[in-house]
Amino acid sequence: MSNLLQNQRTYALVGTSGCGKTSIAEMLLFQAGIINRLGSIEEGTSTLDYEPEAIKRRGSIQAGFANFTWNKNPHSLIDIPGDNNFNADMEYLLQAVDSAVLVIDAIDGVRPQTKKIWAYLQKEKLPTIVFINKMDRELANFDMAFNSLSSTLGMKPVVFFMPIIENKEFVGVVDIFPAKALYFIADGKVEEKEIPDNLKEEAQLLRDVSIENIASTDEILMNKYLDEGTLSDEEIQSALRQACIEREIVPVIAGSAITNKGGLRLLKSIDAYMPSPLEREAYKDHDGQTRKADDPETATFVCKTYNDPFAGHINIMRVLSGSINSDTVLKNMRTEEHERTGSLITLNGKIQNPCKETLHAGSIIAVAKLKNTKTGDTLADEKAPFTLPVPELLPQLISYGIKASVKGEEDKVFAAIQKLTDEDISLKLYRDEETGETLLSGMGQLHIEIAVEKAKRKSKVDISLTTPKIPYRETIKGKCQVQGRHKKQSGGKGQFGDCFIEMEALGRGQGYEFEDAIVGGAIPKQYIPAVDKGIQESAKRGFLAGYPVIDFKVKLYDGSYHNVDSSEMAFKLAGSIAFKKAMESLKVVLLEPIALVTISIPDEYMGDIIGDLSSRRGKVLGSDTEQGITEIKANVPMSEIMQYASDLRSMTGGQGLFIMEFDHYDEAPQPVADKIIAEYQAHKSEE
């Protein structure tokens, strides 16, 4: 089994949107003989982007999985979307692989999002190969793209395959180890030739510097290099592999996926320089226990969940240790239920093939119809429990209200969206108790729109999206004393409750405070909580525009009661009356929620972005520039930034990204408050 594990390669294709990851996956599948022709994203024929929504937008909207054998070695590949709308679960997927291929666009080089992706790879300690793609394009600039790896990412890149450009055409690569030129012919194959004269000196320099650097990591190699001035090819390859696995260097390959140039070089480099499961750092649980690939006890991690129209609920899992087959019984560490794996399925996009084999560590396999297993779960041998900690998801950035377009289909709509939240853990479906709306939260407008499209298609329901209500609040200024008295006599037992309260403003963010200052039994103790409840319920309904009142204190200091007619309900109504009188006596203001926004952009967009934030009533808190990328922090009213994801994309040509979180409430400007209040009054009059 050790030999089998040594030959396994499990890796992810990562990079920003539009860099060509899915085309690279297509090229690798073609080279491995899984497909007999290269599909096209533009034509909607690529193997991994098969959902109608992905074909429509010509880009990945969910992770794609492929299993194949190349050069007699098993490969498991995950193609992770580059668009921030669809890759919030990237850390879950990276936990399922041993290495990564980072794809860089030869025209744009490193983008702001690349920095985030590289940080994830570093966090997971994944050895990485860089594939500089689109070398066939007119504006491709290999040197610019290569230099940006170190200048922006702090990477230690080493050119393994340097591009050969003749008459502005990408015709081949120079293999730096062992110094030869490879010219492209048909079907991704190459023909070996002499290195062009204009590249010989550069290629030799790259080779010498690289050999000297890797020799310096090993004392025996260094001594031999100093004594003999050279190393054997075997020693070079062994040292390169070790340096790659230990993440001391990052191999760089030039290529063009769409023209099938560089696929074989990439596959050979993955086999030669990327780790097997045996060479991956051991997985750890919260208690510090480790699980290695060659441990006999079985453990698997669910990195993705799908609902397939034919196979039903499908969990895609990485075998962490041990082995599984179609009759393996494992314990779900979250639910403590036992699950039988049943039918195992290998995936190549939408192509599903039953798997009869026993699978070992490093394998990525789909399992259908598990009872109660979802993304992030660990399934392990009951006698050797192990739970892989799950990464913390980024907060959702935007919410929309959803409702059935056809009356009476509300339950169908909710069920349809609920299925999608099982597939996509970055979607959140919930009911806002304050507004009564059913809200769907996600990573951007496009994310939610495509989720709704999928729900409509799969469940045959019509769903409407509405912009959610902004969670405004109301508060008071000043201090007053009022009486709340409820008295009603209608024959028989009446209702009587009487209270005196002092109401005053508190500092922003201090919430609500109730003080019982009754002395001498002016109000019996059993009725005091009812006064508090009446005030709180009235505060929830608001005064100016129907939004909850916050940041105020009430002191109940006097009152009276009737031995027969007083009740909890009567004092609750008295509290409500007192609250309304106080609100009429005090100055009431509308508060708007302010978000803390962190925006990452290329330096050249800084002026435009700051100007745009100012137009949104934003307050820039500061900025930090590092290696061509500027990070801006700002406070912006939430009402001004609900559509910011698409706006930022337009302003930066897709190169900007941001995260947003609620920060605090602040008093709304009078024109804003007047508009909100007028809308509320108009709505009330219609009712």
Side-chain angles (χ1 to χ4, degrees), residues 516-530:
D516 173 10
I518 294 294
V519 292
I523 299 176
K525 286 189 176 299
Q526 68 265 32
Y527 298 143
I528 291 173

mmCIF file of all heavy atoms in Angstrom, residues 516-530:
data_model
loop_
_atom_site.group_PDB
_atom_site.id
_atom_site.type_symbol
_atom_site.label_atom_id
_atom_site.label_comp_id
_atom_site.label_asym_id
_atom_site.label_seq_id
_atom_site.Cartn_x
_atom_site.Cartn_y
_atom_site.Cartn_z
ATOM 1 N N ASP A 516 -35.778 49.013 38.891
ATOM 2 C CA ASP A 516 -36.930 48.953 39.801
ATOM 3 C C ASP A 516 -36.603 49.813 41.023
ATOM 4 O O ASP A 516 -35.773 49.445 41.856
ATOM 5 C CB ASP A 516 -37.167 47.495 40.209
ATOM 6 C CG ASP A 516 -38.246 47.367 41.279
ATOM 7 O OD1 ASP A 516 -38.924 48.372 41.562
ATOM 8 O OD2 ASP A 516 -38.377 46.248 41.844
ATOM 9 N N ALA A 517 -37.238 50.981 41.106
ATOM 10 C CA ALA A 517 -36.992 51.889 42.235
ATOM 11 C C ALA A 517 -38.243 52.053 43.100
ATOM 12 O O ALA A 517 -38.413 53.054 43.810
ATOM 13 C CB ALA A 517 -36.526 53.247 41.711
ATOM 14 N N ILE A 518 -39.131 51.084 43.047
ATOM 15 C CA ILE A 518 -40.373 51.130 43.831
ATOM 16 C C ILE A 518 -40.056 50.890 45.312
ATOM 17 O O ILE A 518 -39.317 49.949 45.659
ATOM 18 C CB ILE A 518 -41.376 50.069 43.332
ATOM 19 C CG1 ILE A 518 -41.854 50.400 41.917
ATOM 20 C CG2 ILE A 518 -42.562 49.946 44.290
ATOM 21 C CD1 ILE A 518 -42.681 51.667 41.822
ATOM 22 N N VAL A 519 -40.605 51.720 46.149
ATOM 23 C CA VAL A 519 -40.459 51.534 47.599
ATOM 24 C C VAL A 519 -41.843 51.564 48.238
ATOM 25 O O VAL A 519 -42.780 52.187 47.717
ATOM 26 C CB VAL A 519 -39.559 52.642 48.222
ATOM 27 C CG1 VAL A 519 -38.125 52.495 47.757
ATOM 28 C CG2 VAL A 519 -40.098 54.030 47.925
ATOM 29 N N GLY A 520 -41.944 50.855 49.338
ATOM 30 C CA GLY A 520 -43.200 50.900 50.095
ATOM 31 C C GLY A 520 -44.337 50.142 49.455
ATOM 32 O O GLY A 520 -45.491 50.336 49.843
ATOM 33 N N GLY A 521 -44.072 49.331 48.461
ATOM 34 C CA GLY A 521 -45.116 48.516 47.853
ATOM 35 C C GLY A 521 -46.099 49.282 47.018
ATOM 36 O O GLY A 521 -47.269 48.867 46.881
ATOM 37 N N ALA A 522 -45.684 50.441 46.444
ATOM 38 C CA ALA A 522 -46.590 51.226 45.599
ATOM 39 C C ALA A 522 -47.121 50.386 44.440
ATOM 40 O O ALA A 522 -48.272 50.547 44.015
ATOM 41 C CB ALA A 522 -45.874 52.474 45.069
ATOM 42 N N ILE A 523 -46.280 49.513 43.924
ATOM 43 C CA ILE A 523 -46.705 48.505 42.936
ATOM 44 C C ILE A 523 -46.233 47.155 43.459
ATOM 45 O O ILE A 523 -45.049 46.978 43.760
ATOM 46 C CB ILE A 523 -46.095 48.765 41.548
ATOM 47 C CG1 ILE A 523 -46.530 50.123 40.994
ATOM 48 C CG2 ILE A 523 -46.484 47.660 40.569
ATOM 49 C CD1 ILE A 523 -45.874 50.484 39.657
ATOM 50 N N PRO A 524 -47.124 46.180 43.607
ATOM 51 C CA PRO A 524 -46.706 44.857 44.073
ATOM 52 C C PRO A 524 -45.627 44.256 43.153
ATOM 53 O O PRO A 524 -45.631 44.487 41.943
ATOM 54 C CB PRO A 524 -48.002 44.040 44.013
ATOM 55 C CG PRO A 524 -49.085 45.060 44.151
ATOM 56 C CD PRO A 524 -48.581 46.274 43.434
ATOM 57 N N LYS A 525 -44.713 43.492 43.773
ATOM 58 C CA LYS A 525 -43.564 42.967 43.033
ATOM 59 C C LYS A 525 -43.967 42.121 41.834
ATOM 60 O O LYS A 525 -43.284 42.101 40.812
ATOM 61 C CB LYS A 525 -42.668 42.153 43.969
ATOM 62 C CG LYS A 525 -41.869 43.007 44.926
ATOM 63 C CD LYS A 525 -40.837 42.184 45.668
ATOM 64 C CE LYS A 525 -39.968 43.069 46.571
ATOM 65 N NZ LYS A 525 -39.213 44.068 45.835
ATOM 66 N N GLN A 526 -45.090 41.393 41.928
ATOM 67 C CA GLN A 526 -45.469 40.512 40.823
ATOM 68 C C GLN A 526 -45.884 41.273 39.570
ATOM 69 O O GLN A 526 -45.947 40.711 38.474
ATOM 70 C CB GLN A 526 -46.594 39.545 41.244
ATOM 71 C CG GLN A 526 -47.938 40.194 41.523
ATOM 72 C CD GLN A 526 -48.131 40.486 42.991
ATOM 73 O OE1 GLN A 526 -47.163 40.764 43.696
ATOM 74 N NE2 GLN A 526 -49.380 40.438 43.471
ATOM 75 N N TYR A 527 -46.190 42.592 39.719
ATOM 76 C CA TYR A 527 -46.615 43.376 38.555
ATOM 77 C C TYR A 527 -45.474 44.178 37.919
ATOM 78 O O TYR A 527 -45.616 44.689 36.803
ATOM 79 C CB TYR A 527 -47.742 44.348 38.948
ATOM 80 C CG TYR A 527 -48.994 43.660 39.433
ATOM 81 C CD1 TYR A 527 -49.744 44.207 40.476
ATOM 82 C CD2 TYR A 527 -49.428 42.469 38.849
ATOM 83 C CE1 TYR A 527 -50.894 43.586 40.933
ATOM 84 C CE2 TYR A 527 -50.573 41.843 39.312
ATOM 85 C CZ TYR A 527 -51.303 42.396 40.344
ATOM 86 O OH TYR A 527 -52.439 41.780 40.793
ATOM 87 N N ILE A 528 -44.355 44.298 38.608
ATOM 88 C CA ILE A 528 -43.241 45.111 38.091
ATOM 89 C C ILE A 528 -42.679 44.547 36.776
ATOM 90 O O ILE A 528 -42.458 45.304 35.821
ATOM 91 C CB ILE A 528 -42.151 45.271 39.173
ATOM 92 C CG1 ILE A 528 -42.692 46.169 40.292
ATOM 93 C CG2 ILE A 528 -40.867 45.863 38.576
ATOM 94 C CD1 ILE A 528 -41.793 46.268 41.501
ATOM 95 N N PRO A 529 -42.447 43.213 36.656
ATOM 96 C CA PRO A 529 -41.980 42.686 35.358
ATOM 97 C C PRO A 529 -42.943 42.971 34.212
ATOM 98 O O PRO A 529 -42.523 43.111 33.056
ATOM 99 C CB PRO A 529 -41.860 41.177 35.607
ATOM 100 C CG PRO A 529 -41.656 41.049 37.089
ATOM 101 C CD PRO A 529 -42.486 42.149 37.678
ATOM 102 N N ALA A 530 -44.248 43.094 34.521
ATOM 103 C CA ALA A 530 -45.237 43.377 33.470
ATOM 104 C C ALA A 530 -45.039 44.782 32.917
ATOM 105 O O ALA A 530 -45.194 45.021 31.708
ATOM 106 C CB ALA A 530 -46.650 43.204 34.016
#
